[in-house]
Amino acid sequence: MSEQRHDWTKEEILDIYNKPLMELLYEAATIHRKYHDPNTVQVSTLLSIKTGGCPEDCGYCPQAARYHTDIEGNDLMSVSQVKAQALRAKASGSSRVCMGAAWRNVKDGPEFEQVLEMVRTINKLDMEVCCTLGMLTENQAKRLAEAGLYAYNHNLDTSEDYYKDVISTRAFEDRLNTIDNVRKSNVTVCSGGIIGMGEAIEDRAGMLVALASLNPQPESVPINALVAVEGTPMEDMEPVSIWDMIRMVATTRIVMPETQVRLSAGRTQMSREGQAMCFFAGANSIFAGDKLLTTPNPDVNEDMEMFKLLGLNPQKPFTKVSQPKTVEASESKYRPLGEKPKWSRPGHTIPRNEEAKAKSKMVE
């Protein structure tokens, strides 16, 4: 019987977050052991299948076309290139490949057809397949599900209140609508956020309220520490404290007991001891590989050494949810509809984003 609560208040979550650390860790670890094997960690490999040139203005992201960063853009990868990367990831211990494309939203057409073929190809390798492609419609979600998609990632990023200080080119509601469209298929939901973007602790609690309120709650929640990239509006942000990460992981575990909590971006700044405390606090998923889309990540061999040191084992694929069947394109019952949904453009401006944009033009 599920014990998910969908009525958490911000005040309740703040009380948890601010508990004495040892008490918080004990509570989180106890809940973690009730729902999960504490010695098993799910390992995902994140692959950027289309890099750079994104039209959005997300203040943390080096892939936004409007900011001047050192990111080298590339067109959509081929299916054979993706298959080769997936096989390499599988050999190194990953059970999931997450493919990311720097798009505002999915558009029907040849590129989406190519992504669908990537999904079919990886699912046939007996690996979980996740995509993060921006906003998508119900029909597009069902086409991905039919191809064999296991999970769709669409992060809330932060609280609804602070969201408008991070992104102005799409609304918080668009993110919720995309998650709702995913839920109309049989694809699992991966949704989390980033800490260290200048938000208050109340905003961290607000983000967890929004995630926990989803019914069902996301099967996976990535907790990212901001990686401040030169050229982005958040380039001068101080690195988030490991203690903040531990508290955020522990609080997430308590509020969403059945969810896999992923220790995501920012691990290069964490010691093994710090990561070990995050695992103890309830993190049971990581991204492996030397890069997370465009930002640094620990080498996979370093992670396997850490696993050995801590007595952790990589989780096998399809442990939580059974493997979806792949329907070939020729047998698909869903067809592209050529939809042109009116995703919002709030229209307000964010001063630090505008400053970074102006600076980029000067550099060019």
Side-chain angles (χ1 to χ4, degrees), residues 167-221:
I167 303 163
S168 72
T169 49
R170 64 171 118 173
F172 192 81
E173 191 67 24
D174 291 329
R175 297 193 179 253
L176 295 176
N177 289 339
T178 290
I179 292 171
D180 187 51
N181 287 336
V182 174
R183 281 294 182 208
K184 292 171 184 173
S185 70
N186 63 355
V187 174
T188 64
V189 167
C190 174
S191 185
I194 308 168
I195 66 172
M197 298 192 294
E199 76 286 346
I201 293 175
E202 287 78 9
D203 292 306
R204 297 175 188 175
M207 181 182 78
L208 293 181
V209 168
L211 291 168
S213 298
L214 296 172
N215 192 5
Q217 292 171 349
E219 284 80 2
S220 177
V221 172

Side-chain angles (χ1 to χ4, degrees), residues 12 20 30 48 58 102 109 126 151 163 247 257 286 288 302 347 356:
E12 287 177 307
T30 302
S48 182
C58 307
D126 295 326
Y163 186 88
R247 285 187 177 277
I286 63 167
E302 290 179 26

Side-chain angles (χ1 to χ4, degrees), residues 54-56 101-107 133-136 154 169-171 174 342-346:
C54 183
E56 303 292 80
W103 294 335
R104 169 177 165 82
N105 59 281
V106 175
K107 295 177 181 177
L133 311 169
M135 298 171 288
L136 81 169
H154 202 61
T169 49
R170 64 171 118 173
D174 291 329
K342 294 188 181 297
W343 300 106
S344 70
R345 292 186 181 274

Side-chain angles (χ1 to χ4, degrees), residues 265-276:
R267 284 202 300 121
T268 54
Q269 299 165 344
M270 302 177 199
S271 67
R272 283 185 175 177
E273 294 86 349
Q275 292 180 70

Side-chain angles (χ1 to χ4, degrees), residues 332-357:
S332 172
K333 72 175 184 178
Y334 295 103
R335 292 286 179 263
L337 302 178
E339 300 167 280
K340 294 182 179 179
K342 294 188 181 297
W343 300 106
S344 70
R345 292 186 181 274
H348 68 283
T349 58
I350 302 170
R352 65 182 168 200
N353 290 16
E354 293 302 309
E355 287 171 16
K357 183 179 174 182

